């Protein structure tokens, strides 16, 4: 089954996160501006999740605001001041409240809270003629979140439980600091991701594993 929603993953992981949806919506902006050059002219909306630099690149946001002065930015209230500091006009910032439907014409946007070490949003996007999608990364769990019969699931699958437990045990035995403990608290395992998709995907929707773990210190 072909996914009706077009998506382009520019980057996903601790080195940077940015996804373009249907050519006009950017979710996360944690990459250099040059990575957005093929896409930024068509953008109408940028949805931001949280303040970590691999999701919120200040220089890129500043450049986007300069190049597209009418571009809208949607986010939780915790990102309003950082956006203003990047040069985004206050009138171009939409403060989105949890579980409230926001009509942008091209689609409805519904933010939901995620469990991370800083305030963080995931997003549901409902398109009138192109289906529904959900985007969620950098979270310990997806408890209480539902996305039944969606067409596209972009969900973090950061680590395998057995593998990360083995790494923690190995480092502990050698008296080394195991940053993987922080990964477990702040990121979603593949098992939890698969469980969420299994419980929600009822019509062969497309699913994409996001933000895979790398051997480096996580944010």
């Amino acid at each position: 089954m072909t996914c009706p929603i077009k998506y382009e993953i520019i980057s996903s992981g601790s080195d940077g996160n940015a996804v373009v949806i249907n050519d006009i919506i950017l979710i996360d902006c944690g990459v250099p501006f040059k990575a957005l050059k093929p896409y930024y002219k068509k953008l109408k909306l940028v949805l931001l999740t949280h303040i970590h630099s691999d999701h919120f690149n200040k220089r890129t946001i500043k450049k986007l605001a300069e190049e597209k002065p009418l571009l809208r930015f949607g986010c939780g209230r915790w990102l309003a001041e950082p956006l203003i500091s990047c040069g985004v006009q206050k009138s171009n910032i939409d403060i989105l409240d949890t579980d409230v439907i926001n009509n942008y014409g091209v689609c409805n946007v519904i933010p939901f809270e995620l469990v991370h070490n800083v305030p963080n949003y995931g997003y549901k996007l409902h398109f009138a003629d192109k289906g529904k999608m959900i985007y969620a990364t950098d979270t310990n769990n997806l408890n209480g979140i539902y996305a039944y019969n969606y067409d596209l699931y972009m969900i973090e699958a950061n680590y395998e439980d057995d593998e990360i437990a083995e790494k923690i045990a190995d480092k502990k035995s050698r008296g080394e600091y195991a940053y993987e403990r922080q990964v477990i608290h702040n990121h979603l395992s593949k098992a939890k991701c698969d469980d969420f998709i299994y419980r929600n995907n009822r019509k062969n929707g497309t699913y994409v594993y996001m933000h895979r773990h790398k051997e480096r210190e996580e944010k």
Side-chain angles (χ1 to χ4, degrees), residues 7 9 19 30 33 44 63 67 74 84 90 117 121 138 150 164 195 211:
Y7 63 93
I9 301 173
V19 176
F33 182 75
K44 296 183 179 180
K63 184 67 172 176
E67 294 291 330
I84 292 171
K90 187 175 182 179
N117 57 4
Y121 264 165
D138 290 52
Y150 275 37
I164 204 162
D195 178 67
H211 210 300

Side-chain angles (χ1 to χ4, degrees), residues 24-202:
I24 57 174
I25 299 171
L26 176 66
I27 306 179
D28 275 331
C29 187
V31 295
F33 182 75
K34 64 181 181 181
L36 296 180
K37 279 190 174 181
Y39 312 97
Y40 82 93
K41 290 183 180 180
K42 292 183 179 180
L43 293 179
K44 296 183 179 180
L45 173 64
V46 178
L47 295 173
L48 297 166
T49 59
H50 62 288
I51 193 62
H52 286 158
S53 60
D54 57 331
H55 296 258
F56 191 100
N57 185 310
K58 295 179 180 179
R59 289 184 179 180
T60 302
I61 289 170
K62 184 177 188 296
K63 184 67 172 176
L64 275 176
E66 292 172 352
E67 294 291 330
K68 292 185 66 74
L70 299 181
L71 185 62
R72 301 214 65 79
F73 292 80
C75 62
R77 60 186 68 256
W78 54 86
L79 291 180
E81 287 303 320
L83 280 173
I84 292 171
S85 297
C86 290
V88 178
Q89 294 297 314
K90 187 175 182 179
S91 58
N92 287 1
I93 301 172
D94 300 322
I95 303 300
L96 308 180
D97 292 321
T98 304
D99 298 325
V100 174
I101 298 174
N102 303 270
N103 187 347
Y104 279 96
V106 295
C107 72
N108 288 334
V109 175
I110 307 166
F112 54 92
E113 292 184 13
L114 295 174
V115 183
H116 199 39
N117 57 4
V118 296
N120 185 24
Y121 264 165
Y123 290 101
K124 298 176 184 178
L125 276 60
H126 295 181
F127 297 89
D129 58 346
K130 294 183 179 180
K132 298 179 180 180
M133 68 163 288
I134 182 172
Y135 175 95
T137 70
D138 290 52
T139 185
N140 172 266
N141 63 72
L142 292 171
N143 297 345
I145 298 168
Y146 305 96
Y148 294 131
N149 297 328
Y150 275 37
D151 300 279
L152 176 61
Y153 297 84
M154 306 190 84
I155 307 293
E156 177 177 48
N158 192 266
Y159 60 90
E160 297 277 2
D161 289 294
D162 292 344
E163 290 180 5
I164 204 162
E166 183 179 341
K167 290 173 184 175
I168 291 172
D170 180 59
K171 289 185 177 181
K172 183 178 179 181
S173 69
R174 290 184 277 128
E176 297 178 0
Y177 170 71
Y179 73 88
E180 287 86 356
R181 292 182 184 275
Q182 295 298 318
V183 173
I184 291 174
H185 287 300
N186 298 316
H187 294 279
L188 197 71
S189 69
K190 183 177 180 295
K192 289 180 181 178
C193 171
D194 287 342
D195 178 67
F196 179 83
I197 292 171
Y198 175 78
R199 289 185 289 105
N200 285 274
N201 186 5
R202 288 291 181 264

